[in-house]
C-alpha cells in the first residue's frame, strides 16, 4: 500500500471539530434573513430594468404602508462577499426609496445556471416587459439550459436525453407558450446596437421608434451598417419599413451594403407616403462639407430652391 503524502492528510476544520452532521446539514438549508440592502449586489447582466414608472410608484406606496410582504430571493455572492439578488429587484428598490436599510430575504445556495433560470422565470411574466428585455432574458435562459444539458453551446439545439428527446429551444418555447421562431426573433434583438434597441423599446427621449419586425431584420447587419441606419433615421427623421430592412439584410449578406445604398433605400417612396424626389449621395456629396448629415443637405437644397423660385417670380413679373 503506497505511503500517504503529507498533502493527502486532511486537517479537520472548525466545523468538523465543533459541529455535528445535523448542524452542518441545517446550515445548508435556505433560510429567511434580514439583510442590509448595501450587502446585496445586482444579478450580473440582469436584463430587466427597474423603471420609476407608475407601477413603481404604487409599489413604493404599498411598501411604505405594509412593508415587504414577500421576501426577496438572494444567493451568497460567488465572489464570497455579500449576496447576489435573484428575484426582487423592484421590491428592494421600493424599500430603498422608503429609506429601509435592511430587507427580508430568502438565502438559497444556487449554481450560476440555476440562478439565471430562476431570475428569468420570476421576471418574464411581468407586465410591460420591453422587447429587448425579453430577448436578453430568453438568451440567458437558453444558454443556461444548454449548459445544464452538458452539451456545447454551438450544438445547443441538438437533442438531449435529459430533456426527454426535446431540444432546449423547444422546451423554452413550450414554457413561454411561444413558437421557436418567436423565441429566436426576440433573441435576435440582442444583436442590435444600443440606439436601435432603444428605438424598438420605444424609450428614446426624442420619441424615435422602430417596429419589431424591421428591427429583427436590421439585427443581421454589421455594427457599422447599423450605425449608418441610425445616422439616417436621425438625419432624415424616418425609419425603414419591414421590406426595406429585409432588402438591407439581403444586400449586407452579398457585401453590397454601404452608406449610399442605405440612404437610397431609406429615401425610397413607401406605399403609405407621398411621392418623393431623391438623389444618389455620390451625385451631390461633392457640393457639401464632409460632416453634413443627409438632413442638413436636404435643408440647404430646399433653401436654395426657395431663393431660385423668388428670383424666377421676379423675372416673370418684369
Amino acid at each position: 500500500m503506497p505511503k500517504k503524502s503529507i498533502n493527502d492528510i486532511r486537517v479537520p476544520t472548525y466545523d468538523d471539530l465543533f459541529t455535528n452532521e445535523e448542524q452542518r446539514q441545517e446550515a445548508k438549508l435556505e433560510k429567511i434573513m434580514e439583510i442590509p440592502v448595501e450587502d446585496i449586489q445586482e444579478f450580473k447582466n440582469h436584463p430587466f430594468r427597474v423603471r420609476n414608472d407608475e407601477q413603481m410608484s404604487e409599489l413604493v406606496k404599498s411598501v411604505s404602508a405594509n412593508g415587504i410582504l414577500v421576501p426577496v430571493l438572494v444567493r451568497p455572492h460567488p465572489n464570497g462577499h455579500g449576496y447576489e439578488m435573484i428575484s426582487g429587484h423592484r421590491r428592494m428598490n421600493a424599500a430603498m426609496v422608503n429609506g429601509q436599510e435592511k430587507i427580508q430575504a430568502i438565502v438559497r445556495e444556487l449554481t450560476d445556471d440555476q440562478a439565471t433560470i430562476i431570475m428569468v422565470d420570476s421576471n418574464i411574466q411581468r407586465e410591460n416587459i420591453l422587447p429587448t428585455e425579453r430577448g436578453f432574458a430568453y438568451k440567458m435562459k437558453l444558454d443556461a439550459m444548454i449548459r445544464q444539458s452538458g452539451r456545447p453551446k454551438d450544438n445547443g439545439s441538438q437533442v438531449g436525453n435529459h430533456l426527454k428527446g426535446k431540444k432546449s429551444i423547444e422546451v423554452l418555447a413550450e414554457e413561454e407558450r411561444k413558437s421557436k421562431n418567436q423565441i429566436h426573433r426576440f433573441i435576435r434583438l440582442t444583436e442590435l446596437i444600443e440606439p436601435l434597441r432603444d428605438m424598438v423599446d420605444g424609450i428614446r427621449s426624442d420619441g424615435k421608434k422602430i417596429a419589431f419586425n424591421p428591427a429583427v431584420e436590421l439585427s443581421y447587419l454589421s455594427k457599422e451598417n447599423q450605425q449608418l441606419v441610425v445616422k439616417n433615421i436621425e438625419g432624415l427623421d424616418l425609419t425603414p419599413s419591414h421590406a426595406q430592412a429585409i432588402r438591407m439584410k439581403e444586400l449586407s449578406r452579398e457585401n453590397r451594403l454601404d452608406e449610399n445604398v442605405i440612404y437610397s433605400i431609406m429615401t425610397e417612396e413607401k406605399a403609405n407616403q407621398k411621392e418623393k424626389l431623391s438623389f444618389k449621395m455620390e451625385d451631390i456629396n461633392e457640393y457639401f462639407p464632409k460632416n453634413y448629415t443627409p438632413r442638413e443637405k436636404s435643408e440647404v437644397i430646399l433653401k436654395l430652391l426657395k431663393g431660385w423660385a423668388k428670383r424666377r417670380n421676379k423675372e416673370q413679373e418684369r
Side-chain angles (χ1 to χ4, degrees), residues 12 56 60 76 87 92 96 112 133 172 174 194 197 207 212 222 230 237 277:
M56 178 54 70
V60 169
S87 175
M92 188 170 76
M96 292 173 67
D112 290 346
E133 288 180 333
L172 178 57
E174 287 179 5
E194 186 175 1
R197 294 203 305 266
F212 179 85
S222 68
V230 171
D237 197 23
L277 177 65

Side-chain angles (χ1 to χ4, degrees), residues 88-247:
H89 289 76
R90 299 177 74 254
R91 276 169 282 163
M92 188 170 76
N93 183 69
M96 292 173 67
V97 171
N98 279 293
Q100 291 184 214
E101 296 182 356
K102 294 184 177 182
I103 192 169
Q104 291 281 317
I106 298 172
V107 181
R108 183 180 300 173
E109 293 281 350
L110 296 165
T111 66
D112 290 346
D113 292 334
Q114 289 172 334
T116 295
I117 291 172
I118 292 173
M119 180 276 295
V120 171
D121 287 347
S122 63
N123 284 279
I124 201 68
Q125 301 304 327
R126 288 199 340 241
E127 295 182 11
N128 302 323
I129 299 295
L130 299 177
T132 65
E133 288 180 333
R134 192 175 295 277
F136 278 105
Y138 286 163
K139 186 178 188 299
M140 290 179 72
K141 183 174 179 179
L142 183 59
D143 287 347
M145 292 170 68
I146 291 169
R147 286 191 297 268
Q148 283 192 329
S149 71
R151 64 183 87 126
K153 183 175 178 181
D154 291 341
N155 298 321
S157 63
Q158 293 180 3
V159 175
N161 292 330
H162 79 294
L163 297 178
K164 298 179 180 179
K166 293 181 180 178
K167 300 175 183 178
S168 298
I169 185 68
E170 292 173 338
V171 174
L172 178 57
E174 287 179 5
E175 290 178 355
E176 297 303 320
R177 297 182 181 180
K178 295 186 183 296
S179 69
K180 290 188 296 179
N181 185 53
Q182 285 177 303
I183 298 292
H184 276 304
R185 288 172 67 77
F186 273 108
I187 291 176
R188 282 303 315 174
L189 298 179
T190 66
E191 300 297 327
L192 292 170
I193 61 175
E194 186 175 1
L196 288 175
R197 294 203 305 266
D198 288 348
M199 288 182 198
V200 75
D201 284 339
I203 59 173
R204 290 260 301 203
S205 58
D206 58 12
K208 286 183 171 54
K209 297 180 181 180
I210 189 168
F212 179 85
N213 286 333
V216 171
E217 306 302 332
L218 293 175
S219 73
Y220 291 92
L221 273 55
S222 68
K223 304 304 180 187
E224 292 76 16
N225 280 334
Q226 288 186 39
Q227 291 283 6
L228 292 174
V229 170
V230 171
K231 178 181 176 181
N232 279 280
I233 289 174
E234 295 173 343
L236 299 170
D237 197 23
L238 52 81
T239 57
S241 66
H242 188 203
Q244 289 173 333
I246 290 175
R247 285 177 57 205

Side-chain angles (χ1 to χ4, degrees), residues 23-35 71-74 76 83 104-109:
Q23 289 172 321
R24 289 194 288 274
Q25 290 301 323
E26 183 180 353
K28 294 180 181 179
L29 297 176
E30 67 180 42
K31 53 185 76 68
I32 296 179
M33 299 172 58
E34 194 170 53
I35 297 175
V72 301
L73 176 64
V74 302
Y83 303 87
Q104 291 281 317
I106 298 172
V107 181
R108 183 180 300 173
E109 293 281 350

Side-chain angles (χ1 to χ4, degrees), residues 268-285:
E268 289 173 346
E269 181 185 355
K270 298 177 186 176
N272 61 348
Q273 288 180 327
K274 294 181 180 180
E275 185 178 359
K276 281 188 175 181
L277 177 65
S278 61
F279 302 93
K280 289 184 178 180
M281 293 295 287
E282 60 263 31
D283 292 338
I284 62 173
N285 277 342

